[in-house]
Amino acid sequence: MASADQVPFDDRGLAYGDGVFETVLLRDGKPVLWPYHRARLHQGCRVLGIELPADAELDACLDGPADGLEVLKIIFTRGSGGRGYAMPDAPRPRLLHRRTAFAPAVERWSGVDVCLCTLRLARQPTLAGIKHLNRLENVLARREWQRADIAEGLLADTRGNVVEATAMNVFWREAGAWWTPTLDACGVAGTLRAALLEQGRVQEALLGAETLIESSAVEQLFVGNSVQGLWPVRSLLTPSGEPLRRFAEAAGAWLQADAHALLGYPSLSGEN
Amino acid sequence: MASADQVPFDDRGLAYGDGVFETVLLRDGKPVLWPYHRARLHQGCRVLGIELPADAELDACLDGPADGLEVLKIIFTRGSGGRGYAMPDAPRPRLLHRRTAFAPAVERWSGVDVCLCTLRLARQPTLAGIKHLNRLENVLARREWQRADIAEGLLADTRGNVVEATAMNVFWREAGAWWTPTLDACGVAGTLRAALLEQGRVQEALLGAETLIESSAVEQLFVGNSVQGLWPVRSLLTPSGEPLRRFAEAAGAWLQADAHALLGYPSLSGEN
C-alpha cells in the first residue's frame, strides 16, 4: 500500500468508486470515535473484498502536530489494475488522507430547517451501511436546494422510508424514546449513530416520509454526524422552501447532550 | 479543464464517483461509434449537472499516431472542491484519457457461456442509462465468478428483470425479432445497443430472469458491447458453474453481422 496525495488514471477508486472513505473529527490530534471509524472502514473492506489496511498504516494517518479541531479524511481504494471490472491479480490497495482545520457550525446546534429531497435512494442491501465511494445519489440530492437557510436534505428510499440526510443520520423522538432509521437497504451508518445505538440511547425503526410529515407521534427531529454534532430540526421544507411541517423544540434534549459528550462538544441548556 | 494522467485527493470523481466515462474502440486512430459515445457522455453530464466538455477538448483525446485497434478510455469528472457533497462554486471539470492497444476476444464470437449473477441491481431511474463512475455493483457482480470458462455475468434488478451483463448489454431473440432490456431503472445504455436500436434492428422490452431461464420463447441470446462485438451465449450457468439452460446457436445470426459491420469486425458465416 502506498500513501499519496493523488491517484493515477487506473486507480479503481476513480474508475469505479471501488473503495471506502472516512471523515474523522480530530481534537488536538486525537481521533474522536476512532474505533467506530476503523470498524466501519473494515466492514466496508469486507463487503467489497478489499484487504484490510494494516493498523499501523491507518494509525499513521493520525501522525502530525496536534492543533485544535481538525477533520481527517481517509480514502482507501482497491488500488490500480484489473481487466475492466475484474479484480487485479495482486491488488495493492491505496490509502490517502488529508487533514483540514475545522470548526463546527455552532449556531446550528440550536436549530435548523431542513428539506425533504425529491430523489429517492435506490435499495441495494449489499452496499447498505458502508461508507463506499459511490455517492452520486448524495451529490444529486445536495443539488436539489440552493437556499442558505436550508441546512440539510432528508432522503427517503424508493419505498418511501426515511433513510438519512445527505451527509448526516436522522434521529426522531416518538413515545418518549429516540429512534433512527433502520439502514438495511441503503444509507451510511454513521459513527455517532453507531455509538448512540451501542449505548442504548437510540433504537432502530422504520419511518415513512409521510409519517414524518403528517404524524404528531413524531415529536422531535435531529440530523447529525460525528463532526458536526446534532442539529435540532425546527421545520421541514420542500427543496424550494415551502413548509411541510414544524417540530417541537429539540435543542437541549438529552440525546443532543449525550451526542455532544461523545464528541467533546458543549451541551446546550435543556432537559439535562 | 485540465487533462492529466492522475487526479488529486479532492477530485470529486475519486471522492464520490462524481463523473462519467467512455470506452471507445479506435481503428487506425478513428473512433468507432463516436457520435454515440459523445452523446452518452453529454447525457451523463446533463443528468449530473456537469458542464459539457468542449468538442475540441474531447476531440483532442483522439490525437496521436494511428495504430491498428486501440481502446480509448475517457474519464470526465466534476473536478475538485465543494464543501462535502455541495457543488464547487466554480467547478472546473477534469478530463483524462488513455489509449491502450486492443484485440477483441475473437474466439468468443462463436459462442460463450455466461452466468446469472446473484447480486440484484438497485433501481435508480435518475441514474439509469448513463455511464457514471459509481460502478460498485458491476465490480461486486464480477467478483461472483472465477471460472475462466464463464465469459460474462448477467445482472437482473431487484424486481427480477434482466438488465445487462457486467460490462455488456444483452440481446435476445423471441418471435422472430431481436430485443434488448429496457433500461429505465438501471444499467448502462451501450453505444452498440444505441446504434442497433436506432437502426431498428432491436427493440426494447422487459425480460424476467425466470423467463430467460425457463421460457422456450427466448430462443437465442447475445451479450455484447462496442469494443468486443457480440458474443452468442451457448449456456447460462450459475456463478459456480451449474447449468441453468442452453440456447440455440446464435453465431452468424444477422444481428451479429449487423453489429460487427458497425464495428468493422468480420461477419461469421450464418443466416446472412
Side-chain angles (χ1 to χ4, degrees), chain A residues 28-246:
Chain A
D28 296 328
K30 293 206 173 58
V32 177
L33 298 176
W34 183 237
Y36 294 93
H37 286 288
R38 188 169 51 194
R40 182 175 58 185
L41 189 147
H42 284 180
Q43 176 61 11
C45 289
R46 278 188 288 268
V47 167
L48 303 185
I50 300 178
E51 190 188 355
L52 304 190
D55 278 350
E57 190 160 22
L58 263 188
D59 290 342
C61 297
L62 305 171
D63 292 345
D67 187 20
L69 287 183
E70 295 169 280
V71 164
L72 165 69
K73 179 167 178 178
I74 298 171
I75 297 177
F76 189 62
T77 81
R78 200 187 301 271
S80 290
R83 283 190 58 189
Y85 296 122
M87 296 299 105
D89 291 330
R92 294 189 62 231
R94 193 171 273 123
L95 182 71
L96 301 93
H97 72 277
R98 179 175 285 187
R99 290 163 67 153
T100 314
F102 176 72
V106 171
E107 72 285 1
R108 291 183 169 175
W109 290 342
S110 53
V112 297
D113 292 346
V114 305
C115 69
L116 178 61
C117 296
T118 59
L119 181 125
R120 292 288 172 262
L121 293 173
R123 295 171 57 87
Q124 178 48 273
T126 303
L127 295 172
I130 67 171
K131 201 171 172 82
H132 56 68
L133 296 171
N134 278 199
R135 300 262 72 103
L136 270 178
E137 291 181 319
N138 306 67
V139 169
L140 291 183
R142 183 58 191 84
R143 280 175 58 82
E144 288 193 29
W145 79 92
Q146 283 80 43
R147 299 168 58 109
D149 59 338
I150 294 180
E152 247 289 16
L154 304 190
L155 283 160
D157 67 13
T158 48
R159 285 195 191 164
N161 291 317
V162 175
V163 176
E164 62 186 359
T166 66
M168 291 181 148
N169 286 122
V170 169
F171 308 91
W172 78 96
R173 183 164 180 148
E174 182 173 344
W178 284 97
W179 308 84
T180 189
T182 308
L183 300 179
D184 53 3
C186 42
V188 176
T191 54
L192 177 60
R193 175 184 181 277
L196 291 169
L197 278 168
E198 192 170 275
Q199 295 186 352
R201 309 302 272 166
V202 301
Q203 302 168 70
E204 292 180 307
L206 290 178
L207 173 64
E210 288 303 314
T211 304
L212 176 67
I213 295 170
E214 292 169 8
S215 172
S216 58
V218 178
E219 303 157 19
Q220 295 172 313
L221 188 68
F222 278 114
V223 292
N225 64 29
S226 65
V227 300
Q228 290 286 2
L230 287 200
W231 297 345
V233 176
R234 291 193 190 108
S235 290
L236 181 64
L237 312 172
T238 67
S240 54
E242 285 92 61
L244 291 171
R245 80 164 277 189
R246 291 190 61 82

Side-chain angles (χ1 to χ4, degrees), chain B residues 120-130 135 137 155-158 161 163-164 181-189:
Chain B
R120 292 288 173 264
L121 293 173
R123 294 172 57 86
Q124 178 51 271
T126 303
L127 295 171
I130 66 171
R135 300 262 74 102
E137 291 181 320
L155 283 160
D157 68 12
T158 48
N161 290 318
V163 177
E164 62 186 359
T182 308
L183 300 180
D184 53 3
C186 41
V188 175

Side-chain angles (χ1 to χ4, degrees), chain B residues 104-116:
Chain B
V106 171
E107 71 284 1
R108 292 182 169 176
W109 291 343
S110 52
V112 297
D113 292 346
V114 306
C115 69
L116 178 61

